[in-house]
């Protein structure tokens, strides 16, 4: 909990270099990718994956939910909104995604130096604990610590454009702050609610003068299978039971009539 | 008189006894005699492939949700009651966790619904999940009419002296073994509530229905009571 994570220890995976895949469920042929617009002075953008629009008109600070894409290499092109076909993309690159893995593809830095940063996201929640990591996507801002206001840093020395390792913390409400390594508060995050079984990425975005934090969910506690929510009592089989029972009932009735008639004749 | 009544009574008796016997499930609860098809999936579009659906369309604006800030308002509640006026559901909510196999536990009775407590609280950012039975051994259960819901219908969830209103955005049926668990239970930027019940044909071998109906809804309003 109190363990410090230096920016050097941060897991920042460069495009195309990803950890071996661990197949989790039956959707494992696919990877999950979400897109984050973290370039403070870039216009709204359209994101194309293999020439198909997957996001349109995403503005600074917008994040998509995870989209499922087939594993493998994909061409990612980001255009200023509505300019595909008229202008060159602001970013054109390829990403390689592995089945069963989740990634954040973040457009970072100022427009002048805009680049796509791909990060691998955790898909594993820890029961009863919250997991959180911090990304520094504020171009021109100094290295930062993140921790309770006035308290020991949970994450320290995160530099642009690094993303720290995940840290397990007790669930609950935290009065956190993002501060420079010499203690000057940059962002007040009082009342940050971290739920048990959730995995979060807190991405600091914006400019040095106007910094903000986006808290995204990377994963959550999930069951391994869907609930069993029916016993079949209204399926057609019930009708069959009715029919058989009715048939037997009619037979018994007939038998009963014959018996009583015989008896009365006797 | 007795002569005429007794065969009738005998017939009825045989009918009821045989119906009970035929309709009874051996040992474990979720079993029944036949695997015949039902028409329960009518009106619910089966999603064939999530991927092609997302990639082939020109745009997928429904997947684009503005990000939220750390300080964004969390209105999560510990739910104790759910009401769905359009299908006359008014049920008590039990907080439940995992089955021994790691699946989602469900209420033991047919009138309550179960909230997946290790997941998201209704109202918070994320996918809160509530499941209920479609039927019991011999008749409908609390979520029998879930299939009749329509996008736009409202769901009310009560708890902690709050009333949350969710609006249904879409409904999907998935094969039991191949449902997108992460899409239903996993992370999202929106404040969602997803309802689950059984649908499709009853699979005798697996002692469960072959499909699951998922009703996706998004927080629309919250009210202090």
């Amino acid at each position: 909990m109190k363990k410090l994570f230096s920016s050097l220890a941060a897991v920042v995976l460069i495009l195309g270099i990803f950890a071996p895949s661990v197949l989790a469920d039956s959707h494992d042929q696919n990877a999950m990718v979400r897109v984050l617009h973290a370039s403070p002075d870039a216009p709204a953008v359209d994101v194309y994956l293999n020439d198909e629009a997957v996001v349109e008109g995403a503005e600074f600070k917008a994040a998509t939910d995870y989209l499922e894409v087939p594993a493998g290499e994909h061409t990612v092109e980001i255009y200023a909104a509505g300019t595909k076909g008229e202008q060159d993309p602001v970013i054109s690159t390829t990403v390689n995604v592995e089945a069963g893995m989740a990634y954040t593809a973040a457009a970072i830095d100022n427009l002048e130096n805009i680049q796509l940063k791909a990060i691998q996201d955790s898909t594993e929640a820890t029961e009863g604990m919250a997991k959180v990591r911090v990304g520094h996507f504020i171009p021109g801002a100094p290295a930062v610590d993140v921790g309770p206001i006035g308290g020991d840093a949970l994450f320290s020395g995160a530099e642009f454009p690094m993303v720290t390792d995940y840290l397990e913390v007790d669930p609950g409400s935290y009065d956190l702050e993002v501060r420079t390594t010499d203690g000057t508060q940059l962002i007040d995050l009082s009342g940050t609610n971290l739920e048990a079984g959730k995995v979060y990425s807190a991405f600091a975005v914006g400019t040095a003068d106007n910094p903000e934090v986006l808290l995204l969910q990377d994963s959550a506690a999930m069951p391994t299978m869907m609930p069993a929510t029916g016993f079949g009592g209204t399926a057609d089989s019930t009708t069959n039971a009715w029919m058989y029972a009715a048939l037997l009932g009619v037979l018994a009735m007939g038998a009963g009539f014959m018996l009583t008639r015989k008896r009365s004749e006797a | 008189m007795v002569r005429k009544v007794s065969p009738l009574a005998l017939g009825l008796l045989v009918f009821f006894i045989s119906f009970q016997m035929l309709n009874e499930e051996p040992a474990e609860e979720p079993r029944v005699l036949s695997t015949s098809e039902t028409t329960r999936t009518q009106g619910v579009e089966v999603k064939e492939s999530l991927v092609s659906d997302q990639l082939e369309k020109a745009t997928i604006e429904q997947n684009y949700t503005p990000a939220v800030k750390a300080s964004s308002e969390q209105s999560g509640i510990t739910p104790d009651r759910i009401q769905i006026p359009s299908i006359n559901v008014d049920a008590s909510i039990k907080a439940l966790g995992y089955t021994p196999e790691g699946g989602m536990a469900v209420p033991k009775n047919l009138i309550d619904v179960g909230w997946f407590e290790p997941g998201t609280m209704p109202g918070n950012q994320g996918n809160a999940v509530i499941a209920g039975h479609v039927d019991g051994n011999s008749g409908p259960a609390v979520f029998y009419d879930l299939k009749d819901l329509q996008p736009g219908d409202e769901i009310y969830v009560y708890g902690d002296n709050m009333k949350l209103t969710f609006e249904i955005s879409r409904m999907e049926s998935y094969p039991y073994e191949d449902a997108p668990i992460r899409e239903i239970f996993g992370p999202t930027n929106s404040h969602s509530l997803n309802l689950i019940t059984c649908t499709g044909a009853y699979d005798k071998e697996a002692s469960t229905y072959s499909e699951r109906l998922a009703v996706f809804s998004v927080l629309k309003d919250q009210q202090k009571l």
Side-chain angles (χ1 to χ4, degrees), chain A residues 25-27 30 32 34 36 49-50 52-59 61-70 74 102 122-124 127 188-193 195-200 212-238 240-250 252-257 259-260 263-264, chain B residues 3-4 6-8 10-12 14-15 18-19 22-23 25 29-34 36-38 40 50-51 54-61 63-71 74 98 101-106 110 116 118-121 124-126 131-140 144 176-182 184-190 196-198 202 208-209 212:
Chain A
D25 58 32
S26 52
H27 281 250
N30 294 329
M32 289 160 293
R34 68 177 169 201
L36 168 68
L49 196 64
N50 304 330
E52 302 280 351
V54 291
V55 180
E56 291 202 324
E59 296 181 337
K61 292 192 288 184
T64 66
D65 276 336
Y66 285 100
L67 315 170
E68 274 195 54
V69 301
H74 299 279
S122 170
T123 56
E124 298 280 320
E127 196 172 340
D188 185 341
L189 298 172
S190 295
T192 299
N193 190 22
E195 286 186 274
K198 286 277 167 63
V199 182
Y200 300 92
E212 288 182 67
V213 164
L214 304 174
L215 189 67
L216 303 181
Q217 286 185 10
D218 302 352
S219 197
M222 288 178 274
T224 52
M225 59 189 120
M226 295 288 274
T229 42
F231 297 133
T234 60
D236 273 358
S237 49
T238 311
N240 292 344
W242 265 92
M243 279 170 52
Y244 289 128
L247 193 66
L248 285 172
V250 168
M253 215 182 288
F257 271 122
L259 276 173
T260 47
R263 220 181 284 160
S264 63
Chain B
R3 282 176 192 162
K4 280 185 180 171
S6 56
L8 279 174
L10 177 67
L12 282 172
V14 170
F15 167 73
S18 55
F19 177 69
L22 284 167
N23 209 30
E25 288 69 29
E29 270 268 272
R31 294 212 177 172
V32 97
L33 291 169
S34 157
S36 39
E37 195 80 27
T38 68
R40 189 162 294 118
L50 192 63
V51 179
Q54 285 177 340
L55 294 182
E56 282 166 14
K57 274 198 274 177
T59 63
I60 42 168
E61 281 168 347
N63 280 309
Y64 162 73
T65 320
V68 284
K69 284 190 272 177
S71 54
Q74 294 283 45
Y98 297 95
E101 295 79 33
M104 177 183 177
V106 288
L110 304 177
F116 186 62
T120 301
M121 296 168 89
N124 271 351
Q125 182 193 355
H133 290 289
V134 67
D135 60 18
N137 293 327
S138 53
Y144 182 70
Y176 172 52
E177 297 284 359
D178 194 30
I181 301 275
R182 194 176 153 95
I184 298 168
F185 291 86
T188 175
N189 295 327
S190 53
I196 300 175
T197 195
C198 281
Y202 194 82
T208 190
Y209 276 93
R212 296 295 177 271

Side-chain angles (χ1 to χ4, degrees), chain B residues 48-225:
Chain B
E48 284 176 0
S49 163
L50 192 63
V51 179
S52 59
D53 191 48
Q54 285 177 340
L55 294 182
E56 282 166 14
K57 274 198 274 177
T59 63
I60 42 168
E61 281 168 347
Q62 69 268 33
N63 280 309
Y64 162 73
T65 320
V68 284
K69 284 190 272 177
S71 54
S72 80
E73 198 181 338
Q74 294 283 45
S75 46
I77 58 171
T78 302
D80 56 35
R81 186 140 216 99
I82 184 170
Q83 288 179 341
I84 313 174
S86 55
I87 55 170
N88 292 316
V89 167
D90 184 351
S92 174
I93 299 173
K94 304 286 176 238
L96 297 172
Y98 297 95
T99 63
E101 295 79 33
M104 177 183 177
V106 288
K108 292 218 165 28
N109 66 49
L110 304 177
I111 54 170
D112 295 336
V113 296
W115 163 51
F116 186 62
E117 198 259 340
T120 301
M121 296 168 89
N124 271 351
Q125 182 193 355
N127 280 309
V129 179
I130 289 176
H133 290 289
V134 67
D135 60 18
N137 293 327
S138 53
V142 57
F143 273 178
Y144 182 70
D145 292 322
L146 214 63
K147 62 188 185 300
D148 298 328
L149 287 171
Q150 302 283 342
D153 286 353
E154 291 185 339
I155 300 167
Y156 306 132
V157 178
Y158 299 86
D160 300 341
N161 295 316
M162 293 283 293
K163 176 188 180 183
L164 305 181
T165 302
F166 294 85
E167 185 177 311
I168 295 170
S169 55
R170 65 197 174 96
M171 297 166 64
E172 307 276 358
S173 291
Y174 304 101
Y176 172 52
E177 297 284 359
D178 194 30
I181 301 275
R182 194 176 153 95
E183 187 182 342
I184 298 168
F185 291 86
T188 175
N189 295 327
S190 53
H191 299 231
S192 297
L193 171 69
N194 304 328
L195 309 182
I196 300 175
T197 195
C198 281
T199 194
Y202 194 82
D203 182 346
K204 183 187 168 191
E205 300 278 314
S207 296
T208 190
Y209 276 93
S210 61
E211 293 180 9
R212 296 295 177 271
L213 172 65
V215 175
F216 296 87
S217 73
V218 178
L219 184 66
K220 182 184 176 186
D221 190 34
Q222 46 187 305
Q223 227 179 302
K224 263 214 155 68
L225 296 178

